[in-house]
Amino acid sequence: MLRTLLISTLLLVPAAEAAQVYVCKDDAGRTLYSQTPCPQQYSDRSVKNVEIEPGLSFEDSQAKRAEAAQSVSENNDRISLERMISKASETIERLTRERDALITEKQGLAASLAGPNAGQRGKAIIDDLNQSLQDYQNRINQQIQLQTDGSARLESLNSDR
């Protein structure tokens, strides 16, 4: 009888629920909370077990879960935006190097032309170079726009804290 009462009581008392939260701090002292492991750019990484308090009403428990989910979602958005901005920066650097190498190559080719049609061939090289430069500039401008938009969204997320 006592055993049955004890088991019944244990089944009726809600157990504390636990979840893992990754706490990531960067060199600037910003803290990121995430449901996934910390990205490599974060130097201080730890894992915390967060328990949802037993005895909370269903509404309070749901509100705490919703708040935690919102925080994790915002932090994941921050990580995505930081990655996008970093990738755009790397792409701009790569495109700039490629563009500069193309200019050097085409200038060398144009300078080496000789013969009766050298002027026409030189003009064709210059026209091709100008078209390529415009294409590179368009691609670089797209990456700059990604950086600008991502930075604005990241700033908005950070100011909402």
Side-chain angles (χ1 to χ4, degrees):
M1 170 93 171
L2 184 58
R3 192 167 98 181
T4 306
L5 181 61
L6 181 60
I7 291 173
S8 298
T9 305
L10 289 175
L11 290 175
L12 292 175
V13 174
E17 295 181 44
Q20 282 189 333
V21 175
Y22 294 87
V23 181
C24 318
K25 291 189 180 188
D26 65 10
D27 294 334
R30 292 179 297 202
T31 303
L32 170 76
Y33 300 94
S34 177
Q35 63 189 14
T36 58
C38 301
Q40 289 184 348
Q41 71 260 28
Y42 291 89
S43 55
D44 184 13
R45 304 173 191 169
S46 62
V47 179
K48 289 188 178 183
N49 289 317
V50 178
E51 290 188 15
I52 298 177
E53 303 162 25
L56 285 179
S57 69
F58 178 76
E59 291 80 17
D60 288 343
S61 177
Q62 289 298 91
K64 280 195 171 219
R65 287 183 184 162
E67 184 181 316
Q70 178 67 27
S71 176
V72 167
S73 176
E74 288 173 2
N75 286 322
N76 286 341
D77 289 346
R78 282 184 189 88
I79 290 172
S80 293
L81 289 169
E82 288 169 352
R83 286 179 182 159
M84 182 187 73
I85 292 166
S86 176
K87 185 177 179 187
S89 180
E90 290 169 4
T91 302
I92 289 169
E93 289 175 18
R94 179 184 52 80
L95 289 171
T96 301
R97 284 191 309 269
E98 288 177 10
R99 181 193 63 195
D100 293 346
L102 179 68
I103 290 170
T104 301
E105 175 190 344
K106 296 292 184 176
Q107 284 176 336
L109 182 61
S112 69
L113 293 177
N117 293 328
Q120 290 175 337
R121 290 184 300 188
K123 183 179 180 331
I125 290 171
I126 297 300
D127 289 344
D128 181 51
L129 176 61
N130 285 334
Q131 181 59 48
S132 295
L133 292 177
Q134 185 61 47
D135 292 343
Y136 271 105
Q137 194 58 50
N138 289 340
R139 292 168 61 194
I140 288 170
N141 288 342
Q142 288 173 345
Q143 296 302 313
I144 290 171
Q145 190 62 48
L146 277 175
Q147 275 184 319
T148 303
D149 293 346
S151 294
R153 289 181 15 219
L154 186 60
E155 186 175 317
S156 174
L157 275 174
N158 288 334
S159 69
D160 290 343
R161 282 187 171 183

